Amino acid sequence: MRTLISSLVCLLMAACAHAPASAPESAPPAEAPAATPSAEALATPTPVAGLPHMEPPAAPMPGWVQVRKAHALSREEKFAEALALYEEALDAGNRDPYAAYSAACSAARLGRKDVALRRLAQSVDLGFRDVGWLLQDSDLEPLREELVYLAQVERITTLPDPHPTSSSELKTLFVEDQMDRQRPLEGADAWKRVAERDAQRRERVKAMLAEGALKEGADFLSAGFIFQHGNTPEDYAMARQMGAEAAKRGHPRGLWLAAAAWDRWLMNANLPQRFGTQYRINPESKEMTLHPVDPNVTDEERARWGFPPLAEIPTVLRR
């Protein structure tokens, strides 16, 4: 068994009590990058001696602070307070589909069907596509017979992915990467087989990068998660680079991935992390505990990347 949890799990927690995982969203940069790196440059790993400092490749999405606070309040079942913050963020221009979905959940739990249906429709407009979860989420049970709810269920199946990949092969590799982490795995042999498949996926993605096959932000995000599940400093450096490139190309999850990969690189070098995305299993308590965070990284710097103050980062990951 690996001694660290997938970095995706530690922060991708939707506020709705039974909602699917969501990512902290970031807006596209105000201006396009001055120059797009060449395929050769993107395929070249960062030297392992150290990672150079990186400025945020995109700005956090408006209202991200309110959304994070709302997530915490919703997990405490303080739905009225959570809903007020979700609505404040969404009205301020936040375009996170999971914020709108979680607002719908909070409103439904409060019996405010009109608000719940409006925010549910908004979540679909913004890119929510998990119809399977929509059908099973008990928070939305009060809406099941509403015509607007039924219309959203039907509409989702007709809508395109808001962040499509340009490579069907890369999309398949990413799905396989995620499936390997969703099915129950027991014993060293099972994880050894996953590690072998991970290595094969990374080699194929490296070849695709060298060929210039990655075009869209979603391509680079998929590549980044595949490298994030590597086991060397070069893998984590590549994951950071892919996340940054995804963010520059407008993908809302790229900023988070770049930060999480940076943290993972530091953790595996036995150095304190910057943003607080990485947890390790405590051998005594068996709990997922926060890897030390660099006290020299200010809360202001974390905010530039869309992360909360150090004092608000959970020291134990509750699952």
Side-chain angles (χ1 to χ4, degrees):
M1 178 67 80
R2 294 184 182 180
T3 59
L4 55 93
I5 194 168
S6 166
S7 61
L8 183 62
V9 174
C10 88
L11 286 180
L12 304 193
M13 297 181 291
C16 179
H18 305 288
S22 68
E25 300 256 349
S26 58
E31 297 180 1
T36 300
S38 66
E40 181 180 0
L42 288 168
T44 302
T46 301
V48 299
L51 277 180
H53 183 79
M54 176 185 285
E55 286 296 301
M61 190 171 287
W64 70 269
V65 174
Q66 291 94 325
V67 169
R68 284 185 176 276
K69 290 179 179 179
H71 285 353
L73 288 167
S74 185
R75 287 193 292 273
E76 296 173 5
E77 299 193 355
K78 297 178 179 179
F79 298 115
E81 296 172 63
L83 178 59
L85 287 173
Y86 284 132
E87 298 224 285
E88 181 182 339
L90 291 163
D91 292 343
N94 188 284
R95 296 185 60 78
D96 177 358
Y98 291 97
Y101 182 89
S102 294
C105 289
S106 292
R109 293 290 295 268
L110 292 168
R112 298 181 60 183
K113 288 187 178 182
D114 56 336
V115 176
L117 292 167
R118 177 166 55 86
R119 291 305 184 186
L120 180 62
Q122 182 182 23
S123 74
V124 176
D125 291 340
L126 294 175
F128 182 85
R129 297 292 183 268
D130 195 344
V131 68
W133 194 267
L134 182 60
L135 289 169
Q136 75 177 42
D137 192 341
S138 61
D139 282 350
L140 300 182
E141 189 64 36
L143 310 181
R144 293 281 189 255
E145 303 301 322
E146 299 290 333
L147 292 178
V148 174
Y149 171 88
L150 296 172
Q152 299 312 315
V153 172
E154 183 176 354
R155 186 162 73 104
I156 286 177
T157 63
T158 69
L159 296 176
D161 189 326
H163 299 287
T165 61
S166 64
S167 168
S168 58
E169 180 185 3
L170 183 57
K171 183 176 182 179
T172 298
L173 291 172
F174 174 69
V175 170
E176 291 173 351
D177 170 271
Q178 296 297 295
M179 288 296 293
D180 268 343
R181 284 151 180 84
Q182 292 175 6
R183 61 172 62 98
L185 292 173
E186 295 183 4
D189 287 344
W191 279 107
K192 181 180 179 181
R193 289 191 293 272
V194 170
E196 291 170 351
R197 291 193 291 271
D198 283 344
Q200 293 170 357
R201 284 188 283 262
R202 289 194 300 276
E203 288 305 309
R204 181 56 192 141
V205 172
K206 288 177 185 177
M208 296 177 73
L209 278 165
E211 296 163 3
L214 278 62
K215 307 294 184 184
E216 304 293 337
D219 297 333
F220 289 96
L221 190 84
S222 296
F225 275 112
I226 289 170
F227 283 116
Q228 179 79 333
H229 294 146
N231 52 22
T232 69
E234 293 94 340
D235 293 335
Y236 308 134
M238 284 294 286
R240 187 181 78 150
Q241 189 175 356
M242 295 297 98
E245 191 61 29
K248 291 174 184 177
R249 295 175 188 241
H251 200 290
R253 291 172 64 184
L255 181 65
W256 181 88
L257 178 58
W262 195 348
D263 275 354
R264 183 162 292 189
W265 190 98
L266 291 164
M267 181 179 73
N268 282 270
N270 292 316
L271 296 170
Q273 60 182 321
R274 296 176 61 82
F275 305 107
T277 67
Q278 301 298 298
Y279 290 73
R280 287 187 184 273
I281 293 179
N282 184 310
E284 296 181 357
S285 67
K286 307 302 181 183
E287 294 180 316
M288 299 301 299
T289 56
L290 183 68
H291 181 73
V293 180
D294 188 346
N296 295 315
V297 178
T298 65
D299 287 343
E300 290 74 18
E301 176 65 7
R302 271 184 283 273
R304 294 176 66 219
W305 286 78
F307 289 91
L310 179 57
E312 297 180 12
I313 299 174
T315 56
V316 176
L317 187 64
R318 306 295 181 188
R319 294 203 283 171

